[in-house]
């Protein structure tokens, strides 16, 4: 693994400050001057306040209460925390928000599949940029040899809000992860970055056209549909941390992240719990040398602890009491963020905040992508751990809570009783193909036979449709067929949660997925739904978490 003061794209790190941004996501000025920021564009409603327009100076109706409520909604976006309503300086704040394209890849992302209640999940990629493109970022980031160079996506976290809004899962990807890059096209210069033929370090994606390439790289690796991204740089983290105020963090020994070779974030804390804010918060979020085994994995763990602690602090409401500070926070939040164009107004950010706040703190789960160290030319880098990384990605794709708890909304039982099995028409299709394997031969015919044995004699096979499905499911087009579809699923041992309404079918369709490639009864999935231990799951309500200090960095 690389040392924290590094930014290189090769195997070795040069001396510099601790690499990587802290939390949330953003690149406040990573590409200044390229016509991308749109900060001077008129608001979506065309309103332009003038120096004499009283509406531009008048405090919005609701006064302090509205200020409090608005700022809470902004915070929810950044720290998974709370929410609120209001339009404090609505048009002005809209102008602060920077926006870019969601994805720059050629591969179109699949639509979400709704759950039985018709709800869909939300996936947000949070990116931390290490851009040295401004005096403030250069001062905070150091490494003069990289000033003005392409930014790196040194923090990447996927936030998954469940379809029923009962839980949030976060998956961090270490910046040293090696993967193949998709083809990306810069929306401004139109420069085309060809797909890589060898593995490339994941943080280089940001320099291949912008955050939309980081989104494309995630989709290429995980198959998880990403709805939005949010990005933040060093200066943005400091301004937000200052505005939020002290967040308590814990170390199990005195720590000073500063080595004889100059590597380290500069973080210096006494053993125990200390509130950090501003630059010290950035140091915490960037610390690599001094935590755990001095790798990016320890840094991700520290970031998870900080985010969880911030959520708990903000949900207590103790920091949302000073209107002046809250106005500063609103300014800091909108100035710090770069978002996709689907989140380009205060109203859209507010709506997202309202959704995020529905998940309670004890249903937030922070994880890191299971990984293994590379060898040979990949020595010091990490790769997704075979089996376990895909298991984590699959759970997110299928909206399975990472905390092991069932979703609060159970699959609804059909109101109408099903028809007799012999009267229910069902079409079976072979959807057992995967990216690595073609469809398993004869699966549709075999399952058709199982249905016949259970009394479902009006069945057929759709041999034209072999679109892959990771999980076996029973699809139905309208409410009057829901009971019949559930009856077929129960007869074969398929969970009722996998019976879903779909506008893509005209009758009941049983899609035999990749999870049922072998003969026999439908396989039980009890063991497969567990989050891998290697993901290091941390619950948002855990107040006992404390970072282990590397013995070489104590004082």
């Amino acid at each position: 693994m690389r040392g924290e003061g590094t930014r290189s794209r090769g195997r070795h790190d040069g001396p510099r400050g601790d690499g990587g941004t802290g939390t949330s996501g953003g690149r406040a000025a990573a590409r200044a001057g390229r016509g991308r920021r749109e900060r001077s564009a008129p608001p979506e409603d065309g309103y332009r306040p003038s120096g004499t327009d009283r509406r531009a100076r008048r405090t919005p109706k609701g006064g302090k209460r509205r200020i409090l409520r608005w700022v809470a909604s902004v915070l929810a976006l950044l720290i998974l925390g709370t929410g609120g309503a209001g339009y404090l300086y609505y048009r002005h704040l809209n102008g602060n928000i920077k926006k870019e394209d969601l994805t720059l890849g050629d591969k179109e992302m699949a639509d979400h599949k709704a759950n039985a209640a018709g709800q869909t999940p939300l996936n947000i990629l949070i990116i931390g940029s290490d851009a040295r493109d401004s005096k403030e970022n250069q001062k905070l980031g150091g490494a003069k040899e990289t000033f003005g160079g392409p930014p790196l996506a040194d923090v990447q976290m996927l936030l998954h809000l469940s379809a029923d809004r009962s839980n949030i899962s976060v998956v961090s990807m270490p910046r040293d992860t090696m993967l193949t890059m998709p083809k990306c096209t810069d929306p401004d210069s139109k420069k085309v970055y060809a797909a890589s033929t060898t593995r490339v370090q994941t943080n280089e994606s940001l320099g291949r056209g912008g955050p939309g390439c980081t989104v494309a790289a995630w989709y290429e690796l995980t198959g998880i549909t990403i709805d939005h991204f949010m990005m933040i740089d060093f200066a943005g983290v400091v301004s937000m941390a200052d505005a939020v105020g002290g967040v308590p963090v814990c170390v199990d020994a005195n720590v000073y992240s500063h080595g004889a070779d100059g590597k380290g974030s500069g973080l210096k804390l006494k053993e125990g719990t200390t509130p950090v804010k501003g630059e010290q918060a950035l140091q915490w979020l960037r610390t690599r040398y001094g935590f755990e085994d001095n790798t990016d994995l320890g840094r991700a763990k520290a970031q998870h602890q900080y985010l969880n602690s911030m959520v708990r602090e903000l949900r207590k409401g103790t920091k949302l009491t000073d209107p002046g500070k809250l106005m500063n926070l609103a300014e800091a939040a909108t100035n710090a963020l770069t978002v996709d164009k689907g989140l380009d107004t205060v109203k859209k950010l507010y709506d997202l905040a309202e959704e995020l706040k529905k998940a309670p703190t004890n249903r937030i789960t922070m994880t890191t992508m299971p990984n293994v160290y590379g060898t040979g030319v990949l020595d010091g880098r990490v790769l997704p751990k075979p089996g376990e990384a895909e298991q984590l990605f699959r759970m997110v794709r299928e909206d399975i809570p990472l905390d092991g708890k069932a979703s609060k909304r159970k699959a609804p039982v059909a109101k109408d009783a099903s028809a007799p099995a012999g009267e229910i028409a069902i079409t079976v299709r072979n959807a057992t193909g995967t990216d690595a394997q073609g469809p398993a031969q004869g699966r549709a015919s075999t399952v058709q036979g199982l249905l016949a044995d259970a009394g479902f004699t009006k069945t057929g096979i759709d041999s034209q449709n072999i679109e892959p499905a990771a999980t076996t499911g029973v699809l139905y087009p309208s409410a009057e067929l829901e009971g019949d579809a559930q009856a077929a699923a129960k007869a074969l041992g398929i969970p009722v949660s996998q019976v879903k309404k779909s506008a893509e079918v005209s009758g009941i369709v049983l899609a035999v997925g990749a999870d049922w490639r072998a003969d026999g009864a439908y396989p039980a999935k009890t063991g497969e739904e567990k989050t891998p231990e290697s993901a290091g799951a941390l619950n948002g309500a855990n107040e006992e978490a404390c970072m282990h200090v590397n013995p070489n960095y104590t004082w």
Side-chain angles (χ1 to χ4, degrees):
M1 297 288 290
R2 295 186 312 188
E4 69 195 288
T6 72
R7 192 169 187 269
S8 66
R9 291 159 174 75
R11 295 178 54 210
H12 302 290
D13 297 322
R16 66 176 261 191
D18 200 323
T21 321
T23 176
S24 295
R27 172 177 62 168
R31 310 179 72 194
R34 300 184 61 188
R36 170 174 304 234
R37 295 307 174 206
E38 302 179 44
R39 295 180 66 170
S40 61
E44 60 181 1
D45 59 6
Y47 173 80
R48 291 179 178 273
S50 68
T52 58
D53 192 334
R54 292 183 179 178
R55 290 175 299 174
R57 299 193 302 268
R58 188 171 59 221
T59 301
K61 185 178 180 180
K64 293 182 180 180
R65 183 171 59 182
R66 176 162 291 184
I67 292 171
L68 294 172
R69 295 168 67 195
W70 151 241
V71 175
S73 71
V74 173
L75 290 175
L77 305 174
L78 299 175
I79 43 70
L80 329 180
T82 178
Y87 294 94
L88 174 67
Y89 301 138
Y90 178 76
R91 298 169 181 83
H92 166 68
L93 294 178
N94 273 353
N96 286 346
I97 301 169
K98 298 167 288 293
K99 45 265 187 184
E100 299 192 19
D101 292 341
L102 173 62
T103 178
L104 303 180
D106 288 346
K107 191 172 183 179
E108 185 176 353
M109 287 190 284
D111 291 334
H112 286 298
K113 300 298 183 182
N115 64 11
Q119 303 162 305
T120 55
L122 271 172
N123 294 317
I124 306 160
L125 187 62
I126 299 171
I127 305 169
S129 164
D130 78 341
R132 267 78 170 173
D133 56 352
S134 68
K135 289 184 178 180
E136 190 171 9
N137 280 330
Q138 290 167 1
K139 178 183 177 181
L140 293 168
K144 292 182 179 180
E145 70 278 6
T146 66
F147 284 8
L152 299 175
D154 269 358
V155 173
Q156 299 175 36
M157 296 182 181
L158 182 73
L159 185 159
H160 171 82
L161 177 63
S162 66
D164 65 4
R165 306 306 189 246
S166 69
N167 65 91
I168 286 174
S169 300
V170 177
V171 179
S172 288
M173 184 185 295
R175 69 169 186 178
D176 296 334
T177 302
M178 303 298 289
L179 44 76
T180 54
M181 289 287 175
K183 175 184 175 182
C184 291
T185 303
D186 189 299
D188 291 340
S189 68
K190 307 305 178 185
K191 179 178 179 179
V192 176
Y193 295 84
S196 65
T197 56
T198 58
R199 288 191 178 98
V200 178
Q201 194 160 295
T202 184
N203 63 353
E204 293 187 32
S205 59
L206 193 56
R208 294 166 58 87
C213 194
T214 306
V215 169
W218 266 79
Y219 185 65
E220 191 85 11
L221 176 67
T222 68
I224 298 170
T225 296
I226 297 173
D227 303 284
H228 301 292
F229 71 76
M230 296 189 292
M231 191 167 64
I232 196 167
D233 62 6
F234 294 146
V237 170
V238 171
S239 66
M240 282 301 304
D242 264 336
V244 169
V247 171
V249 295
C250 176
V251 290
D252 65 2
N254 294 347
V255 62
Y256 184 30
S257 179
H258 181 74
D261 55 3
K263 293 179 179 179
S265 68
L267 177 72
K268 190 172 185 178
L269 292 175
K270 292 182 179 181
E271 177 183 351
T273 300
T274 305
V276 296
K277 63 179 181 179
E279 254 187 87
Q280 194 173 42
L282 177 62
Q283 289 174 338
W284 173 275
L285 294 163
R286 297 181 64 207
T287 293
R288 175 176 187 152
Y289 287 102
F291 288 158
E292 307 281 342
D293 58 355
N294 293 338
T295 69
D296 201 45
L297 305 180
R299 173 163 50 198
K301 187 174 179 180
Q303 291 167 356
H304 295 165
Q305 290 187 17
Y306 178 90
L307 286 172
N308 281 342
S309 182
M310 183 183 284
V311 171
R312 293 193 299 268
E313 287 296 295
L314 289 166
R315 288 192 172 183
K316 290 177 184 176
T318 56
K319 294 187 180 297
L320 303 179
T321 57
D322 185 328
K325 290 182 179 179
L326 293 173
M327 291 172 67
N328 291 336
L329 181 53
E331 290 285 344
T334 52
N335 273 308
L337 283 176
T338 298
V339 299
D340 67 277
K341 294 175 182 177
L343 292 177
D344 61 355
T345 68
V346 170
K347 177 61 167 61
K348 293 174 184 177
L349 292 175
Y350 161 70
D351 288 342
L352 178 58
E354 285 292 283
E355 295 300 299
L356 288 172
K357 76 172 188 177
K358 293 176 182 178
T361 306
N362 64 356
R363 296 299 310 278
I364 296 173
T365 306
M366 299 276 181
T367 64
T368 298
M369 179 195 76
N371 58 83
V372 294
Y373 286 105
T375 58
V377 296
L378 298 181
D379 184 32
R381 301 293 183 263
V382 299
L383 300 169
K385 188 173 185 178
E388 294 188 12
E390 171 54 28
Q391 169 67 10
L392 191 66
F393 299 152
R394 183 187 68 80
M395 292 179 72
V396 174
R397 286 197 303 267
E398 298 180 12
D399 198 26
I400 300 170
L402 298 186
D403 59 7
K405 300 177 182 178
S407 296
K408 66 180 181 181
R409 182 185 292 274
K410 297 180 180 179
V413 177
K415 295 180 181 179
D416 297 331
S418 65
E423 298 179 9
I424 299 174
I426 302 173
T427 300
V428 184
R429 66 179 180 88
N430 188 345
T432 59
T434 67
D435 291 340
Q437 299 174 290
Q441 294 298 314
R443 292 303 298 142
S445 297
T446 299
V447 174
Q448 182 186 31
L450 295 176
L451 282 170
D453 292 343
F456 295 85
T457 54
K458 294 180 65 175
T459 61
I461 295 176
D462 183 356
S463 58
Q464 302 301 311
N465 188 346
I466 57 171
E467 180 183 356
T471 306
T472 297
V474 182
L475 310 178
Y476 63 93
S478 55
E480 58 266 23
L481 292 178
E482 183 177 9
D484 295 347
Q486 289 187 359
K490 290 177 181 177
L492 298 183
I494 299 170
V496 175
S497 62
Q498 292 167 218
V499 178
K500 300 181 180 181
K501 185 177 180 180
S502 172
E504 299 177 1
V505 298
S506 57
I508 297 174
V509 174
L510 197 165
V512 185
D515 59 344
W516 200 9
R517 290 178 62 92
D519 290 342
Y522 183 71
K525 303 179 73 175
T526 53
E528 298 179 5
E529 307 307 300
K530 184 178 179 181
T531 301
E533 289 187 11
S534 58
L538 178 66
N539 185 272
N542 184 350
E543 297 187 28
E544 303 302 319
C546 195
M547 286 304 298
H548 174 62
V549 175
N550 187 290
N552 294 324
Y553 289 85
T554 59
W555 57 278

